[in-house]
Amino acid sequence: MLVHIVADTVKKLADLRAMLERHHAVTSELLSDASIRCGESDAVVVTANLQAVENIATLKEMFGKLTHVRKRIFIVDQKTRLFTAQAYALGATRVLVNPISQSRLLAELADRDRPETNLNKVLPSAREAATAGAAAMASMFSDALTGNPIDVGSAKGTAGKIADSIAEDGLCDWLETVRHHHEGTYQHCLLVTGIAVDFGLSLGLSKADNERLYSAAMFHDIGKAKIPLAVLDKPGRLDARERALIETHPVAGYDVLKGNPAICPEILDAVRHHHEYLDGSGYPDALCAASISDLVRILTISDIFAALIERRSYRPTMPREQAYEIIRNMEGKLERPLVAAFRAVALNR
Ligand SMILES: [Fe+2]
Ligand SMILES: [Fe+2]
């Protein structure tokens, strides 16, 4: 594999070269004199301090020229949500945090080359829609965190692109692309959006209802912007305090969006209630069946399925059949005819 390295200091550049050059063909350059000579590189690995304003403009220009490179790994200096969001907004397909070990970096480069991912078969439109989707997520999460108004129009426009990509290429390409290029909450929200699009199409929803559904999916977990990453991305089981913190996200999301004139009541309802169950055992309002709208019921099924099949570094990806079985066995919590209709989305599409 041909890997191009860009770093903002001589030391970082030398460290990365030392890690990679025994294993891959490597080219490199300093960010300050980057002419982006990466040509036909298969991957680009970038590390730079995102607190330095002068770096941002250079990186923006640089990533603009790198859209043809399939793997764009950005290594940030600190694990903060703003840096991660910024790196994705710049165009990274994967963000890692310093200090990074050689084995981790090599695994990242190799991981995306696993033959079963069939990346060569993934059509560019799915990749482009996923990259645009991740950038929209990043800017939404960063606005929610800093208290800026969310750019609803641009998020809805991106959701529309995702819908077009799935309508054209199907759900499989979308799931493959998102699971192999994105991580954490962005991966989850992109998966939910794609699954909701496909579910809406398979149910024959009207164009307007479908638009409301996939927009609600884009926004549904925006409240997670307020949850510390250490809890959100914690591998394994959460304790009671962490679980309680996670369960604040529907109301937090509702509070972020409620004053926004571009958000309709149906979307607001879905953001607040996507963890409610028909039997009243959900949260935050313990609603019962009659109070849970059709849009929310569809979104909840899409959300649970996405959470089950997402790629996590600490566990194998669950097969779609197994995930559907879990949903099918959630007796009394989800609408049975909808779960039956979801079978085609979960297994066949
Ligand atoms: Fe959620
Ligand atoms: Fe979710």
Side-chain angles (χ1 to χ4, degrees), residues 38-53:
C38 64
E40 293 306 304
S41 301
D42 305 296
V44 58
V45 178
V46 182
T47 183
N49 178 4
L50 288 175
Q51 274 170 316
V53 183

Side-chain angles (χ1 to χ4, degrees), residues 113-323:
D113 265 358
R114 284 177 301 178
E116 70 268 30
T117 63
N118 285 331
L119 282 173
N120 291 336
K121 290 188 194 161
V122 174
L123 300 173
S125 60
R127 280 211 296 275
E128 281 158 19
T131 304
M137 293 289 172
S139 87
M140 259 168 30
F141 274 74
S142 140
D143 286 341
L145 189 68
T146 52
N148 290 325
I150 308 287
D151 185 351
V152 173
S154 129
K156 282 185 177 173
T158 308
K161 276 188 204 151
I162 295 172
D164 291 345
S165 156
I166 287 165
E168 201 153 299
D169 308 327
L171 185 61
C172 273
D173 275 351
W174 180 253
L175 299 182
E176 282 286 301
T177 303
V178 171
R179 284 190 293 190
H180 288 94
H181 286 292
H182 301 283
E183 59 178 345
T185 306
Y186 300 156
Q187 180 196 164
H188 169 73
C189 293
L190 292 171
L191 290 176
V192 178
T193 305
I195 292 162
V197 164
D198 207 48
F199 198 8
L201 289 173
S202 82
L203 290 169
L205 296 188
S206 69
K207 191 165 180 280
D209 281 343
N210 235 342
E211 279 174 10
R212 272 192 284 272
L213 173 61
Y214 62 65
S215 301
M218 280 287 279
F219 296 118
H220 82 285
D221 271 343
I222 184 80
K224 286 186 178 168
K226 308 278 190 185
I227 315 274
L229 283 180
V231 175
L232 213 51
D233 294 341
K234 182 181 171 183
R237 281 196 176 278
L238 300 173
D239 64 29
R241 192 192 57 84
E242 293 163 337
R243 169 67 41 207
L245 192 58
I246 291 270
E247 291 187 0
T248 61
H249 80 269
V251 174
Y254 175 88
D255 287 341
V256 163
L257 295 172
K258 71 180 173 196
N260 197 314
I263 291 282
C264 66
E266 291 89 344
I267 293 180
L268 213 46
D269 175 47
V271 170
R272 185 173 178 116
H273 293 131
H274 66 274
H275 287 285
E276 301 286 0
Y277 291 133
L278 302 186
D279 62 4
S281 63
Y283 63 92
D285 298 319
L287 296 185
C288 283
S291 312
I292 303 176
S293 72
D294 288 345
L295 180 97
V296 173
R297 295 174 189 213
I298 296 169
L299 179 61
T300 300
I301 294 172
S302 309
D303 183 36
I304 297 169
F305 188 70
L308 290 170
I309 64 163
E310 66 194 45
R311 180 177 63 85
R312 296 291 186 114
S313 53
Y314 53 86
R315 61 159 163 79
T317 304
M318 184 183 287
R320 288 166 70 171
E321 295 74 16
Q322 193 183 339

Side-chain angles (χ1 to χ4, degrees), residues 57-137:
T58 317
L59 287 165
K60 211 169 184 173
E61 198 189 337
M62 189 187 97
F63 272 100
K65 295 178 193 165
L66 294 178
T67 48
H68 64 287
V69 180
R70 193 155 51 81
K71 294 177 194 179
R72 303 185 294 272
I73 298 174
F74 200 113
I75 305 170
V76 295
D77 288 336
Q78 293 161 37
K79 185 169 186 173
T80 72
R81 200 192 303 271
L82 272 177
F83 286 172
T84 308
Q86 233 168 350
Y88 278 119
L90 283 165
T93 56
R94 185 84 165 117
V95 179
L96 305 172
V97 183
N98 264 326
I100 179 126
S101 69
Q102 181 186 36
S103 56
R104 177 76 200 280
L105 187 53
L106 288 172
E108 276 308 324
L109 288 165
D111 181 49
R112 306 298 188 277
D113 265 358
R114 284 177 301 178
E116 70 268 30
T117 63
N118 285 331
L119 282 173
N120 291 336
K121 290 188 194 161
V122 174
L123 300 173
S125 60
R127 280 211 296 275
E128 281 158 19
T131 304
M137 293 289 172

